[in-house]
Amino acid sequence: MPELPEVETVREGLNQLVKGSHVNSIDVLYPKMINVTPEKLKVTLTNQDIKRIDRRGKYLLFRFSNDMTLVSHLRMEGKYDVEPEGTEPTKHTHVIFHLNDDRELRYKDSRKFGRMYLIKNGDEHTLSGLGTIGPEPTDDDLTFDYMKSIMNKGRGKIKPFLLNQSHIAGLGNIYCDEVLWLSKIHPETIANTISDNQIMELRKNIIEEIKMAIKGHGTTVHSYSNAYGEAGQFQNSLHVYGRAGEPCERCGTNLEKIKVAQRGTTFCPNCQHKVTKNG
């Protein structure tokens, strides 16, 4: 599933490609993908301009000139691209925005898991995923005091704690494994047993890792590509994810893979010691 850096990379590409474009018409080829009828979507967004594309966590927010927003969640395999008008759609093309410059903005999704929600600007809080989402992993939004406060209340394991989007926006399986390795924290450590110094280190690593992953245009593990159809590059900088059985870059111990909260989790058994309530 695309995580924050991948979605941010898609957002940047879409702003370069379609920001300011006028929507002449819309084809909805898979109606179950949107929260309104195809007719409602067409009536609302046809003859409107795409003012810009924003992002919140893993959600893309298409802002239109009539103060409406189309929220797009890519889920597992969703992606956008831009094609010349009249190009034959693939079998995985589900929504087509016909633009005024003989181009088409297309949403493709081989698994059909992605979803779109048409809402008024400012009503983002009414969507279950967006309404409870935590702060963005940036210096300004993700403060130490906030992390200390929520982690001191956390009685569960740190990895699912970080995966919970209501705690911090945008972290998924890949970047959780990476930041926990960087912070030398075992993924099964109980959140409220982590020291203030470790929280400070974890916060720093979350912010820096996401920043570097965005700079590297995201991580391509399976089929992720940006709005230009290009793969990400950050998979070349991963320390643990996908490297089970290989030596740890820090200590040489073979990395291990376990299941934590039903997610494959790679860590170093030497560098990342599990901490219990009793130490």
Side-chain angles (χ1 to χ4, degrees):
M1 179 180 291
E3 301 179 31
L4 188 154
E6 291 76 59
V7 179
E8 175 62 15
T9 300
V10 171
R11 184 197 72 82
E12 291 175 351
L14 287 172
N15 271 318
Q16 293 171 9
L17 288 167
V18 301
K19 180 180 178 180
S21 294
H22 184 80
V23 178
N24 283 344
S25 61
I26 304 170
D27 296 332
V28 179
L29 307 178
Y30 186 64
K32 291 182 180 179
M33 194 157 278
I34 57 179
N35 71 324
V36 295
T37 65
E39 291 72 24
K40 173 74 170 176
L41 187 76
K42 294 175 185 180
V43 168
T44 305
L45 299 183
T46 296
N47 293 321
Q48 300 300 321
D49 297 333
I50 302 173
K51 293 177 66 176
R52 67 181 186 279
I53 298 93
D54 294 333
R55 179 194 54 75
R56 183 72 170 94
K58 303 177 187 181
Y59 294 85
L60 293 167
L61 296 90
F62 290 77
R63 308 294 194 181
F64 286 85
S65 51
N66 59 349
D67 291 328
M68 297 296 290
T69 291
L70 186 66
V71 178
S72 175
H73 195 343
L74 303 176
R75 297 284 179 91
M76 295 291 289
E77 300 284 347
K79 59 190 67 178
Y80 285 93
D81 64 9
V82 177
E83 302 280 358
E85 180 71 46
T87 303
E88 186 69 22
T90 70
K91 66 178 181 179
H92 299 309
T93 300
H94 304 304
V95 182
I96 302 174
F97 298 86
H98 298 270
L99 307 178
N100 65 323
D101 54 4
D102 296 322
R103 297 184 303 155
E104 297 174 359
L105 172 63
R106 298 180 172 188
Y107 178 75
K108 302 177 180 179
D109 193 333
S110 60
R111 297 195 182 187
K112 298 182 177 179
F113 288 165
R115 291 294 179 265
M116 298 180 183
Y117 308 91
L118 183 65
I119 60 172
K120 293 180 180 179
N121 285 358
D123 282 355
E124 292 85 355
H125 65 281
T126 63
L127 297 179
S128 59
L130 277 175
T132 59
I133 199 167
E136 295 283 315
T138 64
D139 271 313
D140 291 338
D141 292 341
L142 187 63
T143 66
F144 168 77
D145 288 343
Y146 168 79
M147 282 195 65
K148 177 178 170 64
S149 173
I150 61 167
M151 288 177 65
N152 284 350
K153 300 172 186 175
R155 294 185 173 85
K157 298 173 182 178
I158 185 61
K159 179 167 181 180
F161 182 92
L162 293 176
L163 286 170
N164 187 332
Q165 298 298 291
S166 69
H167 293 150
I168 302 172
L171 295 181
N173 204 40
I174 296 173
Y175 299 110
C176 282
D177 280 6
E178 292 296 302
V179 299
L180 289 172
W181 180 83
L182 288 166
S183 307
K184 298 183 180 180
I185 297 173
H186 192 286
E188 293 184 316
T189 300
I190 303 304
N192 64 9
T193 65
I194 295 174
S195 69
D196 285 0
N197 285 339
Q198 284 182 304
I199 293 174
M200 291 177 66
E201 183 70 9
L202 178 60
R203 173 185 175 271
K204 176 180 74 70
N205 287 327
I206 288 172
I207 293 168
E208 288 301 314
E209 185 75 358
I210 294 300
K211 189 183 300 182
M212 289 190 298
I214 292 172
K215 188 176 180 179
H217 305 296
T219 298
T220 293
V221 175
H222 298 296
S223 62
Y224 158 74
S225 61
N226 63 21
Y228 291 94
E230 301 165 339
Q233 299 298 319
F234 197 67
Q235 64 273 14
N236 302 319
S237 302
L238 298 178
H239 302 288
V240 289
Y241 184 87
R243 296 189 59 232
E246 298 179 26
C248 172
E249 295 175 8
R250 271 194 302 247
C251 71
T253 303
N254 283 351
L255 301 174
E256 295 182 3
K257 186 174 182 178
I258 59 174
K259 281 283 184 73
V260 181
Q262 286 74 55
R263 307 297 295 274
T265 300
T266 307
F267 72 105
C268 175
N270 182 54
C271 292
Q272 294 169 265
H273 293 294
K274 189 174 181 180
V275 177
T276 65
K277 291 271 189 181
N278 298 320

